[in-house]
Amino acid sequence: MIYEKLSNVYQEIEAISGSLEKTRILSEVLKEAGASEVGRVVALTMGKLHPDWMGEPEIGIAEKMAIQVVATAASTEERAVKKSLRETGDIGAVAELLLAESAQATLFAEELTITHVYETLDAVAKTTGKGSAKDKVARLVGLLSDASPVEAKYILRTLTGQLRLGIGDMGIIDALALAFVGEKEARKHIERAFNVCSDLARVAEVLAKDGLDSLKIIQASVGRPIRMMAAKKLSEPVEIIEKAGPEVLVEYKYDGERVQVHKNGEDVVLFSRRQEQITEQYPDVVDLVRRQIEADTCILEGECIAIDPTTGGTRPFQELMRRRRKTDIDRMSEEVPVAIRFFDILFHEGEDVTALPMAERRKLLESVVQRSERVSLTIGEVTKEPERLMEVFREAIDSGHEGVIAKAVHEGSAYQAGSRSWLWIKLKASYQEGMADSVDLVVVGAIHGRGKRAGLYGAILASAYDEDSDTFPTVCKIGTGFTDEMLVELKERLDRQTIGTKSPKVLSDVEADVWFSPAEVIEVLGDEMTISPTHSAGRGRLEGGGLAIRFPRFTGRWREDKDPKQATTVEDLIEIYERQRGRGQ
Ligand code: ATP
């Protein structure tokens, strides 16, 4: 298939707002791409050449290089590109315009195929080392010399992460269902396959080539991360038992880093919550797993926590984060020793065990973990009594943990990969009336500080994630509660994400002095949710405007373990708002 076809489809999708119609149009092009190219179309549409967990270099060039590429391809001065970029704020539109104006002889240009575009972008991503910048520019200029203006627009947007179609992963799944099965009903099978293999391009290929039945038998496999199950939250023990009961397994909620451990003989790979390989960060955990996990092949999940080597007690989460440093891993392993508390098993001796009920998985887990101080299962017990649940909760808090997670143990309590369901319900010490819990928001912009804060940021603009439209609508401006250290850290971290203009994925009516790529996730506490004319989260779904968080403050915790798409969603905020209203009546 030629790339121009896909570019035209992107153009069409951008121009309409209805998600059903967007899905329908995308489904047609997916069908046309067929088994040979559908994987690449999916990857390009997601703006990622490979899933994160493969650890392959990704597309993404800085604005400076994009300007150079466009200027060379359009035989014009970089100054002209910059001027046009200032006016439009969109390097894709600039490329389209300047290429159309340039004297570039398109007569002899080759038609660009999807495969060629994908492979060139991949080759550019993989070009490293001395002189690589020059090489990258040359390859990209070559690609643009064969591109029509509209193709150039989308190549540049893809390269700079500015593609904004308003279709998230779930929209692509819907489109695949329509394209290859002809009905949306198939989406649950496609979603399941995606959740267990974490590679939507591969899922698309299997579906196009071998059909739905082959997709249904895709199983988890060691080496490929399974999308993690998440917990809902409630503050009333009675309600918790009602939702997940009649009996629940109440486990301590440890405050560390979630790790998915894949073991195949002596090979051990660790994946983070955002599905990145973090094996190198925890060489000691790898050793412990080799020695103390009695299974040839398995996938386990646990919480990695920092411990005090003298007392054996747990240390705060901030200590554990020192392990994130890429250098000095050996010294760090000594300074910040860790323990792992396992809470689930998803694969065992060649078999996917996610469909087993929680009670059975726990038994299996007990049989493979050889315990010691450093390696053990989470503390927990089964109860049907709300009073007992509260006692375990208090014990957990008294021994320095965050709270508890109550897990359903009934026949239907499978491990639900990739979903946040009522099968796991968390109860934390911080839950009170009002907003009850912190939220995780994406920093999208900042306002310069004045007076004492000159040279730093005075306030930051934060967004939730809207899964339906794959956008980041703002939900609050945070200007208070920062310590001096926090302000310095904010400046340092956020400046790495600065972009010249607002990202097309960010929806904001509030002006900022500096805009950032939606990348950094922070934890925020607030008093309550209110309807606001200023913020865009949930606008159109609620009467009177969007949602805003009142009196938001940064807790100081950077959620490095979360991808921006794993931030609190608009859907979550609406749920919090409705709960809060329910309580107020
Ligand atoms: P929070 O900010 O409350 O940790 P979250 O959005 O990061 O929430 P949730 O999935 O809602 O994540 O909460 C579950 C997280 O709690 C898991 O990802 C895991 O890291 C951690 N955790 C700690 N103890 C347990 C346990 N016993 N069982 C499951 N998860 C646990």
Side-chain angles (χ1 to χ4, degrees), residues 46-337:
M46 292 172 87
K48 269 188 192 286
L49 299 174
H50 309 278
D52 288 342
W53 56 269
M54 286 188 182
E56 297 278 353
E58 261 308 322
I59 18 176
I61 60 167
E63 192 174 273
K64 196 163 154 243
M65 185 181 280
I67 291 170
Q68 204 183 340
V69 169
V70 175
T72 317
S75 314
T76 183
E77 304 264 317
E78 285 188 25
R79 251 184 314 146
V81 180
K82 283 186 193 157
K83 180 168 172 281
S84 185
L85 183 58
R86 268 198 305 275
E87 284 160 13
T88 60
D90 171 5
I91 189 75
V94 173
E96 182 178 32
L97 182 84
L98 294 180
L99 249 70
E101 278 176 2
S102 85
Q104 176 182 294
T106 46
L107 278 179
F108 303 106
E110 269 182 52
E111 276 194 337
L112 288 181
T113 60
I114 301 266
T115 303
H116 181 59
V117 171
Y118 179 95
E119 281 174 356
T120 308
L121 298 187
D122 199 28
V124 168
K126 287 181 174 140
T127 307
T128 52
K130 210 165 157 245
S132 63
K134 220 166 126 199
D135 261 20
K136 285 182 193 237
V137 171
R139 275 182 197 270
L140 290 170
V141 169
L143 186 65
L144 289 195
S145 69
D146 287 330
S148 66
V150 66
E151 287 175 319
K153 170 160 91 178
Y154 289 102
I155 289 172
L156 260 300
R157 285 194 184 165
T158 307
L159 277 167
T160 52
Q162 308 263 316
L163 196 61
R164 194 213 141 176
L165 303 172
I167 300 186
D169 295 354
M170 291 308 140
I172 298 179
I173 290 177
D174 281 342
L176 285 168
L178 267 183
F180 298 105
V181 194
E183 40 160 310
K184 269 180 110 179
E185 282 308 289
R187 68 163 297 171
K188 63 172 188 288
H189 301 293
I190 303 173
E191 198 179 336
R192 188 206 66 90
F194 174 46
N195 286 335
V196 297
C197 82
S198 301
D199 184 350
L200 198 49
R202 175 167 171 257
V203 167
E205 280 162 5
V206 173
L207 179 66
K209 190 159 166 279
D210 304 317
L212 193 60
D213 286 338
S214 300
L215 207 63
K216 284 184 192 164
I217 53 175
I218 284 193
Q219 297 286 302
S221 60
V222 178
R224 286 175 172 270
I226 299 172
R227 283 162 51 86
M228 294 184 188
M229 177 168 177
K232 291 251 193 199
K233 62 184 80 153
L234 280 178
S235 53
E236 294 303 322
V238 174
E239 226 184 319
I240 292 176
I241 306 254
E242 263 169 30
K243 285 269 190 205
E247 282 188 321
V248 292
L249 168 63
V250 191
E251 289 181 29
Y252 283 13
K253 186 175 194 300
Y254 298 80
D255 191 13
E257 174 166 27
R258 184 165 180 174
V259 182
Q260 198 175 80
V261 177
H262 290 235
K263 179 176 189 293
N264 186 1
E266 287 295 289
D267 288 340
V268 176
V269 181
L270 310 179
F271 291 107
S272 72
R273 177 81 176 273
R274 55 192 297 178
Q275 306 198 309
E276 285 170 337
Q277 279 196 37
I278 47 167
T279 319
E280 280 170 19
Q281 206 176 304
Y282 295 113
D284 39 0
V285 173
V286 171
D287 266 356
L288 292 167
V289 168
R290 281 197 189 121
R291 278 188 274 124
Q292 289 177 241
I293 299 301
E294 293 171 338
D296 245 359
T297 59
C298 65
I299 302 176
L300 308 181
E301 269 188 16
E303 191 83 353
C304 211
I305 48 177
I307 52 162
D308 185 329
T310 47
T311 64
T314 43
R315 290 158 87 188
F317 175 78
Q318 279 74 7
E319 284 293 307
L320 184 72
M321 283 299 104
R322 293 173 56 206
R323 282 298 227 22
R324 289 219 157 225
R325 277 202 230 144
K326 301 261 182 305
T327 50
D328 262 354
I329 301 230
D330 289 335
R331 191 164 61 86
M332 278 297 138
S333 304
E334 270 175 42
E335 275 184 28
V336 188

Side-chain angles (χ1 to χ4, degrees), residues 368-429:
V368 303
V369 179
Q370 193 194 319
R371 290 161 223 203
S372 68
E373 197 183 22
R374 305 274 299 273
V375 178
S376 64
L377 267 65
T378 44
I379 293 177
E381 67 177 60
V382 175
T383 182
K384 48 170 86 130
E385 305 301 336
E387 295 77 25
R388 183 61 198 146
L389 192 157
M390 275 321 272
E391 276 165 29
V392 179
F393 170 74
R394 275 186 219 104
E395 282 163 26
I397 301 293
D398 290 346
S399 45
H401 302 295
E402 271 193 310
V404 290
I405 302 199
K407 300 180 179 176
V409 287
H410 54 66
E411 276 302 300
S413 59
Y415 182 92
Q416 293 196 338
S419 82
R420 192 182 286 281
S421 82
W422 291 111
L423 291 177
W424 285 13
I425 305 175
K426 55 185 174 177
L427 173 64
K428 291 211 284 195

